[in-house]
Amino acid sequence: MSIRNLDDLLAEGVSGRRVLVRADLNVPLDKQTGEITDDGRIRAVLPTLSALVSAGAKVVVCSHLGRPKGAPDPQFSLRPVAGRLGELLDAPVHFAEDTVGDSARSTVDALADGQVALLENLRFNKGETSKDDAERGAFADQLATFGDAYVDDAFGAVHRKHASVYDVPARLPHVAGRLVLREVEVLSKLTGQPERPYVVVLGGSKVSDKLAVIEALLPTVDRLLIGGGMCFTFLKAQGHEVGTSLLEKEMVETCGNLIERSGGKIMLPVDVVAADAFAPDAAHDTVPADGIPSHRVGLDIGPETVAGFAAALSQAKTIFWNGPMGVFEMPAFAAGTRGVAEAVAKADAFSVVGGGDSAAAVRALGLDESSFGHISTGGGASLEYLEGKTLPGIAALEK
C-alpha cells in the first residue's frame, strides 16, 4: 500500500502540532439509558491516539455516530463516547458541543500538548455526507483548520465519499493510522494468495447485500458456507418451502445460478430452527431445511448444519466470516452463530471476522477475541475491499 503511515508522521515530530484524527466511534448505545453497549470501536483506535498523545500532539478527534439527518440530534451525540474514551486513555477528553462552530474552535484552541478533544458528531452537518462536491468541500475546509496534519484511523468509513474521509486529506498532510494500516494489511492477504483451503462464511439478512462479494469470492474460495436470513433465498432456489422466512423473491433465480456455477463450493444449511413468530419467546424447534412448515419462520441454522460448517472450517487454513447465522440477539436463536464462531476460533487457520454484526456477536456472546486472527471494525468496508472496489478513503490517502 503506497500510503504514508503514523510512524512516518511521528518521525517528523508532532509535539505541539495539532493532529486531526478521523476515528470510527460509531458505537451502539442503549436506547433507554444512552450507555455504550459495545466499546470495541473505541478500543480499536487507542493505539493511534496513545501514540500521538505520548508524542505530545494536540489531538483533535472527529467521528460520526448513527444516521442523523444533517442537523443536531441529542440521541446521536458523541458525549457518552468522550466519557468512555477518557476512561480508556486515563486522561480527560475535552468535548466540543458542535463540530466546526464556536465550541469546537475554543475547545481546540485550548488544547495543551498531549491533550485530546472530541468534536461533536460530524453528521450533524449536511456537508459531511453531501453528494455535492462544493458543499462537501466547504465543510472539509472548516474541518481542516483544526489540524496541521490528518490521520485516518476510521476503517469502517473508508468506503464512504464523505468530507472527513475523502476531502480533508486533500487539504492536509495525511497518513494512515495504526488501525487502517492493519486492516488493509490483513485484507490484502485474503485478496492475494491466501493459504488453502480458504473457507468463507457469510450470513446476515439479504442476498442482495452480499451478491457482489459472493460473485467476487466464488472463483477464489474453496468452500462458501451460507447461513443467516440470506440462506432462505438459496433454499427457495433449490425448490424448498421456506415458510414465512425472510425471502428475496427477485433473487431466487440469481441464487440458483450461483449454486449451479459454484461447482459444489456453496454449502447451505441442512436444518434450521423454525419458530411460530419473530419473537424471543416464540415456540420453536429444529426442522430439516427442506421441511420448514408453511406457517413458520426460520431464525437460526440447526445443530446438524453447525456440525457440517464446523467440519469444513476445521480443514481451513484461511477463514473469512461476515454475518451472523441467526437472530443471535435472541438467546433462543443464538446457538448457530455461537457454534460457527467457536469453530472459527478453534480452527488452525488465519481467521478474519469481517466487522459489523459478526464482530458484535463475538463480543455479545462473550467469546475470546484473541482466539481470532483479526476482528475488523468495518463490515461494509471489508466486504467492498474483498469485492475489489476502490475505497474513497484509501484512495484519498494514496494521493
Side-chain angles (χ1 to χ4, degrees):
M1 186 173 67
S2 57
I3 295 176
R4 297 176 73 244
N5 61 54
L6 185 66
D7 289 336
D8 297 318
L9 180 63
L10 294 173
E12 296 169 0
V14 294
S15 181
R17 298 175 66 194
R18 295 172 306 160
V19 179
L20 181 64
V21 179
R22 177 50 161 106
D24 179 9
L25 306 177
N26 185 27
V27 295
L29 301 175
D30 185 285
K31 291 182 179 179
Q32 302 299 321
T33 66
E35 293 180 356
I36 297 166
T37 58
D38 179 359
D39 66 0
R41 283 179 171 159
I42 304 175
R43 287 186 285 113
V45 78
L46 291 178
T48 288
L49 297 184
S50 297
L52 289 168
V53 167
S54 297
K58 299 175 180 180
V59 185
V60 182
V61 184
C62 61
S63 176
H64 71 284
L65 191 152
R67 294 186 176 180
K69 307 290 187 182
D73 186 335
Q75 68 175 318
F76 295 116
S77 174
L78 280 167
R79 181 176 285 281
V81 175
R84 181 57 179 150
L85 182 57
E87 292 172 358
L88 292 169
L89 288 172
D90 195 25
V93 169
H94 305 274
F95 183 65
E97 301 286 346
D98 54 30
T99 306
V100 291
D102 292 341
S103 177
R105 175 63 56 195
S106 61
T107 301
V108 172
D109 287 347
L111 284 178
D113 295 359
Q115 290 189 332
V116 179
L118 175 63
L119 306 179
E120 184 55 286
N121 195 334
L122 291 165
R123 292 185 182 175
F124 286 179
N125 300 74
K126 290 182 179 179
E128 168 65 1
T129 60
S130 176
K131 289 182 169 52
D132 180 82
D133 291 348
E135 184 176 22
R136 213 176 52 246
F139 181 54
D141 287 339
Q142 293 177 290
L143 273 178
T145 63
F146 294 141
D148 301 308
Y150 170 86
V151 178
D152 189 346
D153 216 28
F155 183 74
V158 294
H159 61 313
R160 306 293 188 193
K161 192 177 181 180
H162 290 170
S164 63
V165 175
Y166 182 76
D167 299 278
V168 171
R171 289 155 170 79
L172 292 172
H174 50 269
V175 301
R178 299 252 194 270
L179 175 62
V180 165
L181 192 65
R182 170 66 176 161
E183 294 271 17
V184 174
E185 287 175 345
V186 165
L187 292 173
S188 66
K189 290 183 180 180
L190 302 183
T191 56
Q193 297 293 327
E195 190 176 356
R196 297 186 178 281
Y198 176 21
V199 178
V200 171
V201 190
L202 292 180
S205 57
K206 294 183 177 180
V207 179
S208 53
D209 290 342
K210 303 283 172 69
L211 179 61
V213 78
I214 292 173
E215 294 270 12
L217 287 172
L218 261 185
T220 63
V221 303
D222 296 293
R223 298 303 298 272
L224 178 58
L225 320 181
I226 294 179
M230 62 188 288
C231 79
F232 298 104
T233 303
F234 279 92
L235 292 173
K236 188 69 173 180
Q238 291 185 316
H240 302 323
E241 168 66 59
V242 297
T244 60
S245 306
L246 185 63
L247 175 66
E248 289 183 281
K249 293 180 180 178
E250 70 280 5
M251 296 297 296
V252 172
E253 184 178 349
T254 299
C255 288
N257 291 335
L258 288 170
I259 294 170
E260 187 175 333
R261 285 168 42 206
S262 76
K265 290 181 179 180
I266 291 179
M267 190 171 178
L268 296 171
V270 294
D271 60 345
V272 301
V273 179
D276 285 344
F278 188 92
D281 57 351
H284 60 275
D285 53 28
T286 302
V287 300
D290 60 357
I292 302 173
S294 60
H295 66 286
R296 287 199 150 190
V297 55
L299 297 181
D300 196 11
I301 59 173
E304 283 189 40
T305 301
V306 172
F309 282 11
L313 290 164
S314 70
Q315 303 298 313
K317 288 299 179 184
T318 305
I319 297 170
F320 176 73
W321 167 38
N322 179 279
M325 297 293 100
V327 189
F328 73 92
E329 299 90 346
M330 300 179 186
F333 311 110
T337 301
R338 177 182 292 279
V340 166
E342 290 174 344
V344 172
K346 289 176 184 175
D348 181 18
F350 175 65
S351 58
V352 178
V353 180
D357 286 341
S358 311
V362 167
R363 291 187 278 268
L365 296 173
L367 302 173
D368 182 1
E369 293 183 46
S370 66
S371 300
F372 303 89
H374 178 70
I375 299 179
S376 177
T377 55
S382 62
L383 288 178
E384 290 196 17
Y385 189 96
L386 293 184
E387 289 170 28
K389 286 187 176 180
T390 297
L391 306 184
I394 301 298
L397 292 176
E398 290 177 330
K399 293 180 180 177

